[in-house]
Amino acid sequence: MAKVETIVFLSLVLDLFAFTIPLPLFPRIIEWYTKRESSDPSGFLSRTLTLVSGIRGLFYSPAQNSKKWDIVLLGGLMGSVFSTLQFLVSPHIGSLSDKYGRKRVLLLTMVGNILSALVWIMSSSFASYTLSRAIGGLSEGNVQLAVAIISDITTPANRGKALAHVGIAFAICFIIGPPIGAYFASRPVPSALTAGGFELNIYAVPAILTLVLLSVETLFLALALPETRGTVVKPASDTAADGKANGETNGRTNGSAQNEHAKLTREEDVQRRVSILETLKQNHFLFLGLFSGVEFTLTFLTFDLFDWNNKQNGYLIGSIGIISALLQGGYVRRSMSKLGEGVMAQRGVTSCALGLVFLALLPQFVSTHVTIAVRLLQAAAVCLAFTSATVVNALTAYASLQCDEPVDADTGKPRAAHPQLAKGKALGKFRSSGQLGRAIGPLLACASYWTVGPSLTYSIAAVAMFVLSLRMKPIATKAKTI
């Protein structure tokens, strides 16, 4: 099964590399479209900006740089398109994978991702670029199905460690994707591609790189990935000692240790696990609702206050990825089984709250003490890197453990999954809750940003994140006591 984990990890690196390439480009992409289409009052972008400006004007009228504030809000709207569609389709992608197989559904979603990249390359208008984002939102299924595949082939004892590879893939790609995206954004489009009179997107070069990566990933998955749905995994007898350490912690975390099952009827056990999943979905939604707002406005903060370019934003996001990767490969993988998933998630949320405090202080020093402002940004980046390395990975591992069925003593096989605990569907709904948070978070964060400014926005978010950390205490406590 280690071979399958390697295949999944490599495919995630390719997929997330393609996903992170455009991240530092969003502010400049929107600015380019604004300059290009704002003179056409009947155009899609002009009408959108008029709506955005009108809504903003109801709450806040900045003395200067009003167009920049509108770009901030429009950026939030663009970020929400992708996540809203993910919220809608994730449960269905999971259910289809339960019925037709992980590999078949994964390859189908890859076709949509490739189409999204093709539309981006040719998107010379804001409307076509929005279409590209919509196609991508409806098609992205790699991360969710990767979690389901890993859950298929691992035992509860090594689940957290295996799922850490998902977080490591994210971290690696946040290191290499944004800087490379920023670099290729400065490269001119090859004249051969425009010789026929075709007009391409200003960032067609990074879009073409994205297309190549997705095409390679699709071919790799088609040739290398086996079907894993219905795989029966038996713990190896020679890992009993390690299982005692890992399995004991994970058993406490999700309450699925064998002695716990013995005390509960089948119906009681199912209801208990469904209840835990509901709690985890709520925490996932609340966390990503807050975190995605910070994540998405971070490059707009540097654009608005420091006037950073694509390269500088790429370095910022890349540095967060480097720190996150080091934490994933070291601290998280070694400590998850000792602390429990709940404790790890709570620590990550607390770290995010501290980072938000730094961001709230930052605007006060931009005009008078730029060095201090930059140091506060760097401190916040470290805190956010720790959060990226821990929270979603821990909550996902926690959720996947609820879908494991006990082994039938007579047949030696896991019992048939309850409909509410089928891995693809249950993990799809779990991911969907997070995507709903990601859809709402950028909108609220950007709306708050131009209504009350960055300091108050990040202050409110810091308080909310501290409250969420306290709210997560029961699942962290449960990890130690069940």
Side-chain angles (χ1 to χ4, degrees):
M1 294 304 173
K3 178 182 177 182
V4 176
E5 288 184 36
T6 301
I7 293 170
V8 171
F9 174 74
L10 293 175
S11 71
L12 277 174
V13 169
L14 290 170
D15 190 79
L16 295 171
F17 186 10
F19 178 79
T20 55
I21 281 175
L23 290 184
L25 310 181
F26 282 130
R28 299 297 177 180
I29 287 177
I30 296 174
E31 186 180 42
W32 179 69
Y33 282 123
T34 301
K35 292 178 180 178
R36 180 184 176 87
E37 300 181 28
S38 59
S39 60
D40 179 9
S42 62
F44 178 65
L45 177 59
S46 293
R47 286 184 290 176
T48 303
L49 281 173
T50 299
L51 176 63
V52 169
S53 181
I55 296 173
R56 174 187 53 75
L58 295 175
F59 302 97
Y60 181 67
S61 297
Q64 57 184 356
N65 294 330
S66 61
K67 289 185 178 180
K68 277 191 174 184
W69 290 94
D70 290 341
I71 288 175
V72 169
L73 179 59
L74 183 56
L77 290 170
M78 291 299 298
S80 293
V81 168
F82 185 93
S83 296
T84 298
L85 294 172
Q86 280 279 283
F87 160 69
L88 295 173
V89 303
S90 289
H92 300 292
I93 290 175
S95 295
L96 289 172
S97 75
D98 286 331
K99 184 175 182 180
Y100 297 107
R102 317 288 189 219
K103 180 176 180 178
R104 186 178 300 180
V105 175
L106 179 54
L107 290 175
L108 182 62
T109 64
M110 290 305 303
V111 174
N113 287 334
I114 290 173
L115 178 60
S116 174
L118 283 170
V119 175
W120 178 19
I121 292 171
M122 298 181 290
S123 62
S124 57
S125 69
F126 180 71
S128 58
Y129 179 70
T130 302
L131 176 63
S132 167
R133 295 290 294 170
I135 295 172
L138 289 170
S139 304
E140 177 57 45
N142 191 295
V143 175
Q144 134 181 19
L145 292 176
V147 172
I149 290 169
I150 292 173
S151 298
D152 287 337
I153 63 171
T154 56
T155 64
N158 60 15
R159 181 74 45 78
K161 186 176 181 180
L163 285 176
H165 289 103
V166 177
I168 293 173
F170 266 100
I172 290 174
C173 292
F174 268 87
I175 296 171
I176 60 177
I180 289 178
Y183 170 78
F184 280 100
S186 63
R187 302 295 95 186
V189 178
S191 57
L193 297 177
T194 57
F198 293 106
E199 186 176 15
L200 303 180
N201 186 273
I202 188 174
Y203 294 130
V205 175
I208 291 170
L209 177 59
T210 297
L211 176 63
V212 171
L213 290 168
L214 292 173
S215 300
V216 171
E217 180 191 0
T218 303
L219 181 62
F220 174 65
L221 288 170
L223 296 176
L225 182 68
E227 179 54 56
T228 62
R229 181 189 53 155
T231 301
V232 178
V233 182
K234 296 181 179 179
S237 59
D238 59 355
T239 61
D242 184 62
K244 182 177 181 181
N246 270 330
E248 187 177 310
T249 300
N250 290 329
R252 290 199 302 268
T253 303
N254 76 336
S256 62
Q258 293 298 322
N259 62 339
E260 287 294 326
H261 283 297
K263 298 177 183 178
L264 300 174
T265 65
R266 166 70 169 166
E267 183 177 351
E268 289 172 339
D269 179 57
V270 167
Q271 290 303 315
R272 177 187 56 79
R273 287 187 284 153
V274 168
S275 176
I276 292 174
L277 270 175
E278 287 300 318
T279 300
L280 292 173
K281 285 192 292 184
Q282 292 170 14
N283 288 330
H284 196 211
F285 164 73
L286 293 171
F287 168 72
L288 283 180
L290 292 168
F291 185 73
S292 64
V294 179
E295 186 179 50
F296 203 83
T297 59
L298 190 59
T299 54
F300 289 104
L301 175 75
T302 60
F303 177 59
D304 184 37
L305 298 185
F306 296 106
D307 198 28
W308 279 10
N309 56 32
N310 290 334
K311 184 177 181 180
Q312 290 169 307
N313 278 330
Y315 283 139
L316 173 64
I317 298 173
S319 66
I320 293 175
I322 291 173
I323 298 170
S324 181
L326 293 174
L327 289 169
Q328 283 277 355
Y331 171 74
V332 175
R333 294 189 72 210
R334 295 176 183 177
S335 302
M336 183 85 81
S337 61
K338 298 176 182 178
L339 297 173
E341 288 81 359
V343 174
M344 185 66 74
Q346 187 186 34
R347 289 186 177 183
V349 170
T350 303
S351 176
C352 185
L354 181 60
L356 285 166
V357 171
F358 293 141
L359 290 178
L361 294 172
L362 184 153
Q364 311 304 319
F365 296 94
V366 170
S367 58
T368 57
H369 299 85
V370 177
T371 301
I372 295 177
V374 172
R375 293 291 180 266
L376 286 169
L377 180 62
Q378 292 170 341
V382 172
C383 293
L384 296 179
F386 184 85
T387 301
S388 297
T390 53
V391 181
V392 173
N393 184 52
L395 290 177
T396 302
Y398 206 149
S400 72
L401 290 169
Q402 312 313 314
C403 302
D404 289 329
E405 294 295 337
V407 175
D408 190 290
D410 297 326
T411 64
K413 297 181 179 180
R415 297 175 183 174
H418 188 276
Q420 290 180 278
L421 296 173
K423 286 180 181 176
K425 182 178 180 180
L427 293 176
K429 287 185 175 181
F430 173 79
R431 177 172 171 78
S432 177
S433 67
Q435 292 305 309
L436 179 59
R438 284 193 177 278
I440 296 173
L443 289 177
L444 294 180
C446 289
S448 176
Y449 193 105
W450 52 254
T451 301
V452 299
S455 288
L456 188 54
T457 294
Y458 292 125
S459 295
I460 294 171
V463 172
M465 199 65 81
F466 274 122
V467 172
L468 178 59
S469 178
L470 295 175
R471 187 182 189 273
M472 293 176 68
K473 188 175 181 180
I475 65 170
T477 303
K478 184 177 291 186
K480 297 179 181 180
T481 60
I482 287 182

